[in-house]
């Protein structure tokens, strides 16, 4: 499922805010009700006090006058109904409605008691107030109850809490809009990059413009540009390689064609035989070249997936060296092999590692004069396995030690067989095995010493 930055950010912003607003709404409503009740209660009490003051004995009877001011204080646009009831100390109704809501319990002492109840069909808030009456007839506390309907109170509550709630909702709405707006602005450079990438020529590997992009995104653009650069370099390398390879194949093909033409023309069987032998040599050379090109393709990063395994590099090097004994014999070269006493465990690709040794030893055998000497030595050096191939030929000048690793770069005269790919292949194989290679002079010169170091695998547990 694709995730939307917009939806995610809005979700993170709006859901918690909605919860906060809901809680605020609840607590605002509670506080507003408290405030409105307090105001209602004040009015109720004031009204009850005015009425209570008028309760007195006259002509041996307790009576109560209801002054108009006692009820006027409730005047409001809400037309709340106000009712009252006054009971003499003996419980006789002396004013008001008989069925005004009774307090749940009588007020204790002279403290007013506030309560809510139902009067006929209407919810009311009421106060009950005890009023001491001095009288010989009916002494004690008279009870004054004043009650009012709740329209005014409810409107006040709504006014207080709905206004606050609306303000908060507006705030949340503004926050959401600003977030969307900010995202739109923030994402604009990315969208511009996307459009630029979409509309660009498929071959273009030009770096992306990082101007106008936020600092947080710059590392990403830089990484992308870096990757593009590498792709560019890689493609250039491949192009050159293909061009070089076809050039390398075209020359021997042209030579072959002339040789074939000559063999056709020649009637002398001996000359014809020589021409055919030359053709065979040419075909062999081309076969070698094609094989080396394939090895190179395989050793390259991203080439055929390398299946590596633990192997004894000493054994691989020994058999590779042995396979070259024929060349050493033909050129009367003293080829010596000096293996390590213990197995040299390495995690690697057996065919490629064999190719590495063959290329180095074959170079030594071919690039030195006849009757020379070549030694192959193996050793374990700490966490590494060392392969050293030494010869007593002309060596490679320090200035050329980098360039000989380039593909098709040869210093040797064309009389010496070769494709110029050997050291390039060796370099790729060493890299594919996280190793290192070094060319140096022999001690004493002249001669070439090639050192290859590969990371050693954990040694095999000793038998038994
Ligand atoms: N042991 C060596 N002694 C002297 N020169 C060497 C030796 N090995 C390689 N070279 C030089 O490095 C060049 C590149 O080697 P390489 O890539 O194997 O190509 P090739 O052997 O096909 O010419 C060779 O042409 C040769 O000039
Ligand atoms: Mg070579």
């Amino acid at each position: 499922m694709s995730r939307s930055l917009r939806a995610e950010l809005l979700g993170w912003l709006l859901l918690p805010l909605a919860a906060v607003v809901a809680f605020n709404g609840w607590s605002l409503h509670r506080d507003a009700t408290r405030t409105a009740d307090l105001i209602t209660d004040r009015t109720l009490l004031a009204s009850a006090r005015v009425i209570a003051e008028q309760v007195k004995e006259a002509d041996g009877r307790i009576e109560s006058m209801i002054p108009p001011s006692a009820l006027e204080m409730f005047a409001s646009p809400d037309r709340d109904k106000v009712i009252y009831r006054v009971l003499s100390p003996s419980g006789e109704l002396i004013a008001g409605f008989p069925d005004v809501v009774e307090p749940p319990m009588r007020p204790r002492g002279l403290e007013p008691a506030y309560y809510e109840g139902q009067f006929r069909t209407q919810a009311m808030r009421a106060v009950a107030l005890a009023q001491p009456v001095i009288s010989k007839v009916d002494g004690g506390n008279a009870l004054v109850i004043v009650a009012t309907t709740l329209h005014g109170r409810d409107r006040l509550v709504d006014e207080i809490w709905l206004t606050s709630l609306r303000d908060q909702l507006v705030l949340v709405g503004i926050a959401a809009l600003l977030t969307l707006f900010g995202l739109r602005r923030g994402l604009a450079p990315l969208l511009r990059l996307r459009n630029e990438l979409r509309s660009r020529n498929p071959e273009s590997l030009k770096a992306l413009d990082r101007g106008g992009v936020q600092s947080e995104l710059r590392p990403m653009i830089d990484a992308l540009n870096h990757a593009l650069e590498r792709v560019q370099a890689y493609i250039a390398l491949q192009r050159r390689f293909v061009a070089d390879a076809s050039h390398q194949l075209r020359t021997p093909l042209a030579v072959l064609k002339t040789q074939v033409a000559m063999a056709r023309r020649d009637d002398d069987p001996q000359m014809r035989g020589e021409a055919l032998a030359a053709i065979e040599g040419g075909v062999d050379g081309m076969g070698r070249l094609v094989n080396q090109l394939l090895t190179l393709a395989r050793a390259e990063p991203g080439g055929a997936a390398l299946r590596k395994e633990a192997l004894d590099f000493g054994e691989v090097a020994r058999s590779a060296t042995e396979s070259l004994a024929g060349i050493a014999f033909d050129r009367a070269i003293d080829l010596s092999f000096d293996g390590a006493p213990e197995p040299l465990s390495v995690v690697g690709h057996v065919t490629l590692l064999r190719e590495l040794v063959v290329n180095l030893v074959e170079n030594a055998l071919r690039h030195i004069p006849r009757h020379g000497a070549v030694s192959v030595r193996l050793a374990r050096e700490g966490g590494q396995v060392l392969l050293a191939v030494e010869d007593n030929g002309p060596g490679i000048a320090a200035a050329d030690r980098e360039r000989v690793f380039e593909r098709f770069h040869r210093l040797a005269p064309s009389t010496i067989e070769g494709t110029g790919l050997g050291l390039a292949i060796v370099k790729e194989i060493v890299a594919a095995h996280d190793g290192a290679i070094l060319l140096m002079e022999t001690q004493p010169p002249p001669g070439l010493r090639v050192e290859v170091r590969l990371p050693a695998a954990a040694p095999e547990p000793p038998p038994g």
Side-chain angles (χ1 to χ4, degrees):
M1 197 183 79
S2 79
R3 296 162 53 182
S4 153
L5 193 60
R6 219 168 282 189
E8 240 171 67
L9 267 179
L10 275 185
W12 274 104
L13 180 75
L14 290 186
L15 289 182
L17 272 184
V20 168
V21 168
F23 174 79
N24 272 356
W26 171 79
S27 86
L28 270 173
H29 188 268
R30 195 193 49 192
D31 293 348
T33 309
R34 265 188 209 152
T35 310
D37 278 348
L38 205 67
I39 295 170
T40 313
D41 290 353
R42 290 256 163 87
T43 319
L44 282 172
L45 183 60
S47 168
R49 288 237 156 94
V50 172
I51 294 174
E53 272 163 17
Q54 302 297 322
V55 179
K56 50 184 171 261
E57 194 203 81
D59 307 333
R61 270 178 57 100
I62 307 291
E63 56 173 39
S64 153
M65 270 261 303
I66 306 298
S69 66
L71 305 177
E72 268 160 16
M73 50 184 94
F74 287 96
S76 80
D78 302 297
R79 311 207 167 282
D80 270 318
K81 180 185 273 178
V82 183
I83 53 176
Y84 57 88
R85 175 182 175 196
V86 184
L87 296 175
S88 72
S90 60
E92 190 192 338
L93 178 71
I94 48 177
F97 298 84
D99 52 352
V100 169
V101 247
E102 281 280 343
M105 51 174 155
R106 294 243 146 188
R108 241 188 269 145
L110 298 180
E111 279 295 301
Y114 302 98
Y115 58 97
E116 280 178 27
Q118 198 78 14
F119 174 68
R120 292 174 197 166
T121 57
Q122 309 214 50
M124 295 196 115
R125 190 161 177 86
V127 66
L129 183 67
Q131 171 70 16
V133 182
I134 302 149
S135 158
K136 284 180 232 113
V137 196
D138 194 358
N141 283 348
L143 183 67
V144 177
I145 295 174
V146 182
T148 176
T149 49
L150 298 174
H151 308 302
R153 184 199 71 166
D154 290 347
R155 196 170 56 84
L156 189 58
V157 170
D158 288 351
E159 244 165 50
I160 300 174
W161 91 281
L162 284 181
T163 320
S164 302
L165 193 68
R166 190 199 56 207
D167 290 353
Q168 296 202 4
L169 286 176
V170 166
L171 208 65
V172 172
I174 290 174
L177 281 180
L178 284 179
T179 308
L180 281 178
F181 178 71
L183 266 178
R184 214 188 155 81
R185 272 191 65 105
L187 290 178
L190 263 189
L191 296 183
R192 179 177 61 71
L193 280 179
R194 179 200 64 185
N195 293 342
E196 191 191 320
L197 274 175
R198 262 195 197 159
S199 61
R200 67 164 48 187
N201 182 332
E203 277 126 63
S204 165
L205 292 171
K206 202 167 54 107
L208 293 166
D209 178 18
R210 70 209 279 280
V213 173
Q214 294 92 332
S215 54
E216 290 88 344
L217 292 176
R218 290 222 170 130
M220 202 188 78
I221 307 285
D222 288 345
L224 208 62
N225 281 340
H226 192 60
L228 281 174
E229 240 168 62
R230 276 179 306 178
V231 169
Q232 214 165 4
Y234 186 70
I235 288 180
L237 193 75
Q238 292 297 316
R239 285 217 180 108
R240 219 189 72 211
F241 179 56
V242 170
D244 288 350
S246 26
H247 177 79
Q248 294 296 314
L249 282 168
R250 206 168 46 189
T251 319
L253 273 175
V255 172
L256 267 183
K257 199 165 159 57
T258 27
Q259 285 170 333
V260 169
M262 269 162 59
R264 269 237 184 93
R265 252 181 289 142
D266 239 315
D267 292 330
D268 179 356
Q270 197 205 324
M271 295 292 276
R272 196 173 250 197
E274 271 170 24
L276 279 178
I279 289 171
E280 195 178 9
V283 170
D284 281 349
M286 280 177 63
R288 202 160 41 235
L289 177 60
V290 169
N291 276 334
Q292 294 222 308
L293 286 173
L294 282 177
T295 311
L296 199 54
R298 241 187 308 160
E300 261 181 355
L306 286 186
R307 230 176 37 98
K308 292 184 180 171
E309 57 196 341
L311 49 87
D312 177 6
F313 186 54
E315 208 25 64
V316 173
R318 175 192 304 277
S319 89
T321 308
E322 269 168 16
S323 74
L324 297 170
I327 303 178
F329 182 79
D330 285 347
R331 308 202 65 227
I333 287 171
D334 173 18
L335 173 62
S336 68
F337 182 87
D338 185 7
E342 78 274 23
L344 298 174
S345 197
V346 156
V347 174
H349 194 283
V350 73
T351 324
L352 292 183
L353 288 178
R354 193 185 150 82
E355 198 74 22
L356 176 142
V357 180
V358 165
N359 272 295
L360 291 179
V361 178
E362 197 178 346
N363 271 353
L365 292 175
R366 289 198 193 280
H367 292 293
I368 66 173
R370 292 174 63 83
H371 304 288
V374 172
S375 81
V376 179
R377 206 170 63 79
L378 283 151
R380 176 190 272 278
E381 265 189 5
Q384 290 178 323
V385 168
L386 168 74
L387 165 77
V389 180
E390 241 184 82
D391 63 50
N392 59 356
I396 300 179
D400 291 321
R401 282 182 203 150
E402 290 258 335
R403 306 205 59 202
V404 286
F405 285 110
E406 287 173 17
R407 292 164 183 188
F408 303 115
H409 188 83
R410 303 194 71 201
L411 306 170
S414 55
T415 48
I416 295 180
E417 264 180 59
T419 58
L421 283 174
L423 287 179
I425 289 173
V426 166
K427 191 178 165 195
E428 293 285 359
I429 295 175
V430 167
H433 289 80
D434 304 315
I437 183 166
L438 214 62
L439 304 185
M440 58 187 90
E441 226 168 31
T442 48
Q443 293 304 328
L448 181 72
R449 177 178 167 89
V450 184
E451 288 186 356
V452 172
R453 286 188 170 74
L454 300 177
E460 309 262 316

